[in-house]
Amino acid sequence: MADQRKRSWAEPYKIKMVEPVRMISREEREKAIKEAGYNTFLLRSRDVYIDLLTDSGTSAMSDRQWAGMMMGDEAYAGSENFYHLEEAIQKYYGYKYMVPTHQGRAAEHIISQLMINEGDCVPGNMYFTTTKLHQELAGGTFVDVIIDEAHDPENEHPFKANVDLTKLEDLIKEKGQDKIPYVSIATSVNMAGGQPISMANLKEVRKLTNKYDIPIIHDMTRVAENAYFIKQRENGYEDTPIKDIVREICSLTDGATMSAKKDALVNIGGFLALNDQELFRKAQNMVVVYEGLHTYGGMAGRDMEALAIGITESVDEDHIRARVGQVQYLGEKLLDMSIPVVRPIGSHGVFLNAKKILPHLTQDELPAQTLAAELYLDAGIRSMERGVVSAGRNPETGKHNYPALELIRLTIPRRVYTQAHMDVVAESVEAVYQQREDITGLAFDYEPEYLRFFQSRFKKL
Ligand code: F0G
């Protein structure tokens, strides 16, 4: 019966301005990727057709946000936009205090330097590249306490970002609570494939950390996306508004670092939010050394205004359903084509399992880096390596870290591409998959010291 058929839905916006993209020829792509040392970070954007490198800073802003940009109060001190941003953070996230930073890693720098001492341990639900590096630079060691299911790309656990409470408590007992300055909890865990933590698990983590008097610092970069999955999957939240779920998540933590370039729909910006006044005063003092005065940190007034508005839009029900919905659309298309992808499909991108697609390459032959280069060659689609190259080296032994997951990420910018772009991407992935047996690996040609995935160069084996 026609009226019982599932009806199509569309993006909750219409397009007012367009930015042309171009597809260069196969020969030109071969030249471009070779010149980029087979690293998609080193490609020029003009040589990319569909850019799925990252969802960071790549969102399309709304007409409201652009209007807000015109209301920039560029005073050195006490900009009106700072107060709008502060209000938005207090209203939607519930944290008491905040210092603006130019992006997420600047907030990570400040919190790591303020809270971590030499020899400390920082447990977290899987590492993120910049977060872990700042913990290490402050003298700490990151310890992964995520559930084992998170390391298995095929496991269908609905909350793969959950913390293994036994691992966490054993670590606290082993190291002693004074060696653990905080527990680092990310919502929608990036390196696990954009997987959520459940509210129930977060409540348990809160209970455990309260018992040992250890704070929780929240990496809230994709908190609204996590909230969407809680609404979809967790009992008791079906009818809870996204904004209430977001606030409840934040209320279970003591502070947060935010890369506002993701969930919060701006091209640049971030902040450190805290509930502890003394720590906040220290952060305010540190921000003037590294970023700028505490009422702008690393941001222009206009950028703070766009962010305040972006926060409001990010928790809108229609927005978040369409945002995650588009990622699910691409993921399901790839699953129908029997392409090995991380399951369940994540919130901000689809992660291809390079170990499974290129089983003939060892991890030293950099399967994910290789696959990202091949995908660019096929149709000019840019993706990001999330495997051994991203995992870096062990600072003590100097050896490669070999992560269980060897992935490439097709990251979907918010409000930028259409369903037709997603179809083109899926077809290109399928074309590469069909030629997978002929693909040979890569080796390092140049390797910088920090966050090597950004600037390394590779050569064909
Ligand atoms: N935390 C998470 C979970 C992130 O995904 C990122 C950035 C950061 C912190 C750092 O924030 O870039 O504003 O300094 N992720 C980007 C990405 C780079 O492509 O996933 P930043």
Side-chain angles (χ1 to χ4, degrees), residues 53-56 103-106 108 128 130-131 190 219 221-222 259 261-262 269 384 386 409 454:
L53 183 70
T54 178
D55 62 331
S56 182
Q103 56 182 75
R105 69 197 71 180
E108 292 167 356
F128 184 71
T130 57
T131 322
N190 195 352
D219 181 341
T221 297
R222 297 182 181 84
S259 170
K261 302 168 72 175
K262 283 84 166 174
M384 187 190 289
R386 294 278 82 155
R409 188 181 71 176
F454 284 130

Side-chain angles (χ1 to χ4, degrees), residues 153 155-160 193-195 233 328 342-346:
N155 191 296
E156 296 272 4
H157 195 294
F159 293 104
K160 277 171 126 174
Q195 304 292 331
R233 299 176 187 167
Q328 304 298 305
V342 174
R343 297 200 308 257
I345 304 300

Side-chain angles (χ1 to χ4, degrees), residues 118-396:
E118 195 63 44
D120 279 354
C121 239
V122 188
N125 55 347
M126 201 173 269
Y127 84 101
F128 184 71
T129 53
T130 57
T131 322
K132 173 164 165 268
L133 179 61
H134 280 296
Q135 292 164 356
E136 289 168 357
L137 291 171
T141 308
F142 170 82
V143 182
D144 193 0
V145 294
I146 204 164
I147 55 172
D148 289 338
E149 286 88 337
H151 295 281
D152 173 1
E154 274 153 38
N155 191 296
E156 296 272 4
H157 195 294
F159 293 104
K160 277 171 126 174
N162 281 357
V163 170
D164 182 326
L165 298 155
T166 315
K167 280 188 203 168
L168 178 57
E169 188 155 24
D170 287 351
L171 184 79
I172 299 171
K173 285 186 185 147
E174 183 200 324
K175 302 284 173 187
Q177 66 204 74
D178 352 317
K179 285 279 169 226
I180 302 189
Y182 59 89
V183 176
S184 176
I185 295 295
T187 33
S188 192
V189 169
N190 195 352
M191 303 302 276
Q195 304 292 331
I197 181 170
S198 71
M199 195 73 84
N201 183 257
L202 184 57
K203 283 182 183 161
E204 290 298 323
V205 176
R206 180 72 281 179
K207 231 200 252 160
L208 186 66
T209 50
N210 279 348
K211 178 169 148 195
Y212 292 98
D213 198 21
I214 298 172
I216 298 176
I217 298 297
H218 173 200
D219 181 341
M220 64 179 301
T221 297
R222 297 182 181 84
V223 65
E225 294 177 4
N226 195 116
Y228 179 76
F229 282 137
I230 288 178
K231 188 173 173 124
Q232 296 293 306
R233 299 176 187 167
E234 194 161 348
N235 282 342
Y237 286 93
E238 305 80 357
D239 300 320
T240 313
I242 292 292
K243 68 178 182 22
D244 294 354
I245 302 177
V246 165
R247 246 200 99 128
E248 187 177 351
I249 293 171
C250 295
S251 75
L252 292 165
T253 69
D254 302 287
T257 55
M258 172 61 142
S259 170
K261 302 168 72 175
K262 283 84 166 174
D263 238 25
L265 297 161
V266 286
N267 302 123
I268 193 73
F271 56 81
L272 171 63
L274 294 164
N275 288 334
D276 181 291
Q277 197 181 29
E278 200 186 314
L279 196 59
F280 165 62
R281 292 246 185 275
K282 288 185 187 160
Q284 262 190 326
N285 194 224
M286 207 169 147
V287 86
V288 296
V289 181
Y290 291 100
E291 295 280 294
L293 191 73
H294 56 277
T295 55
Y296 73 86
M299 297 173 80
R302 64 179 83 98
D303 291 327
M304 291 192 282
E305 192 63 32
L307 173 52
I309 299 165
I311 289 172
T312 316
E313 293 180 1
S314 74
V315 296
D316 176 82
E317 304 285 324
D318 289 340
H319 161 71
I320 200 75
R321 187 176 67 243
R323 188 287 180 277
V324 182
Q326 189 178 44
V327 179
Q328 304 298 305
Y329 174 83
L330 175 62
E332 274 153 30
K333 223 169 155 108
L334 292 171
L335 281 173
D336 287 345
M337 292 168 164
S338 305
I339 310 283
V341 299
V342 174
R343 297 200 308 257
I345 304 300
S347 70
H348 66 307
V350 180
F351 291 66
L352 306 185
N353 184 350
K355 261 191 191 168
K356 224 45 212 273
I357 297 173
L358 302 174
H360 54 288
L361 300 188
T362 66
Q363 241 173 326
D364 285 319
E365 293 169 316
L366 317 176
Q369 193 70 46
T370 303
L371 189 61
E374 291 295 328
L375 190 62
Y376 171 73
L377 278 172
D378 181 74
I381 293 158
R382 170 151 71 172
S383 59
M384 187 190 289
E385 193 265 8
R386 294 278 82 155
V388 64
V389 178
S390 295
R393 289 179 186 273
N394 179 315
E396 269 155 38

